Amino acid sequence: MRAAAPPESASEATAVAAERRWAFIVAGIIALLLAMMVFTGLHWAAMPPSRVETIDVNTVHLKGEFVESNLGTALGPDGKVIVRLIAQQYSFSPQCIVVPAEMPVTFRGTATDAIHGFIVGRTNANTMLIPGFVATFTTRFSKTGEQLMPCHEYCGTGHEAMWARVQVLPPAEFLEKARDGERLTCVSR
Ligand code: CUA
């Protein structure tokens, strides 16, 4: 049991020591957050906007790679899988996207009217789609099966009804379907 309050200088020393201790803890937390940003940036664990690719909104449906006949999944002669899609109020084209599992898949997408976006299930396939710009990223799906792909940027009154489906096929089944070089979708005709 303490007999009396410590003298002024002793309590001041205690306060200074406590402040210094917390200053080190806060500096440590800030340093850790900065280190995480640098690490995820350098390792592409995050997807920072690394490039800017523009497209003319007025002609996007009429010419170039986003004409309707070119939308969907393409298997290039070099074996690369590219998915091209367009978002508009309030749907994606195509409405059902086919991709292979365990292969790199590059998405290329744009929007024609408002800012949209999408995320595929619980994967890291996630981007915004902005009119006038082409969004692109490459990812890999580890599990086969069907995933939902909702729009995740508020784009108007129909936003919550705007979504597509993604079918992730085993690689052999995908390559079988993709052999003839057509644009693949799983939209029922
Ligand atoms: Cu499109 Cu929300």
Side-chain angles (χ1 to χ4, degrees), residues 88 90 92 115-117 151-156 159-160 162:
Q88 63 270 304
Y90 295 102
F92 293 99
I115 293 178
H116 302 272
C151 176
H152 66 24
E153 295 287 340
Y154 182 76
C155 51
H159 163 70
E160 83 279 0
M162 178 171 174

Side-chain angles (χ1 to χ4, degrees), residues 11-160:
S11 59
E12 192 183 329
T14 307
V16 167
E19 278 176 10
R20 186 173 297 133
R21 190 162 63 240
W22 279 105
F24 280 125
I25 291 171
V26 169
I29 291 171
I30 292 171
L32 178 70
L33 292 175
L34 284 174
M36 276 166 57
M37 281 166 63
V38 171
F39 177 81
T40 54
L42 291 179
H43 281 76
W44 283 84
M47 295 184 203
S50 57
R51 40 179 280 297
V52 173
E53 188 179 339
T54 56
I55 190 164
D56 185 352
V57 163
N58 297 313
T59 57
V60 83
H61 290 299
L62 305 176
K63 60 177 189 184
E65 70 171 292
F66 292 102
V67 294
E68 192 174 359
S69 59
N70 203 40
L71 298 179
T73 310
L75 177 66
D78 49 1
K80 284 192 177 145
V81 179
I82 300 184
V83 177
R84 292 187 181 85
L85 70 153
I86 282 185
Q88 63 270 304
Q89 287 163 326
Y90 295 102
S91 63
F92 293 99
S93 301
Q95 286 275 28
C96 186
I97 293 167
V98 185
V99 292
E102 291 144 27
M103 285 170 70
V105 178
T106 299
F107 281 80
R108 289 179 60 78
T110 190
T112 57
D113 42 25
I115 293 178
H116 302 272
F118 67 85
I119 182 165
V120 179
R122 295 186 173 194
T123 70
N124 72 340
N126 180 353
T127 189
M128 286 172 81
L129 299 169
I130 302 170
F133 296 88
V134 178
T136 183
F137 63 87
T138 300
T139 191
R140 197 181 272 266
F141 295 92
S142 52
K143 272 190 272 174
T144 58
E146 189 164 299
Q147 306 258 18
L148 287 181
M149 188 184 109
C151 176
H152 66 24
E153 295 287 340
Y154 182 76
C155 51
T157 51
H159 163 70
E160 83 279 0

Side-chain angles (χ1 to χ4, degrees), residues 150-180:
C151 176
H152 66 24
E153 295 287 340
Y154 182 76
C155 51
T157 51
H159 163 70
E160 83 279 0
M162 178 171 174
W163 49 274
R165 287 176 297 135
V166 175
Q167 273 183 8
V168 186
L169 300 179
E173 191 182 336
F174 175 83
L175 292 172
E176 179 75 18
K177 288 194 174 181
R179 246 183 345 198
D180 48 9

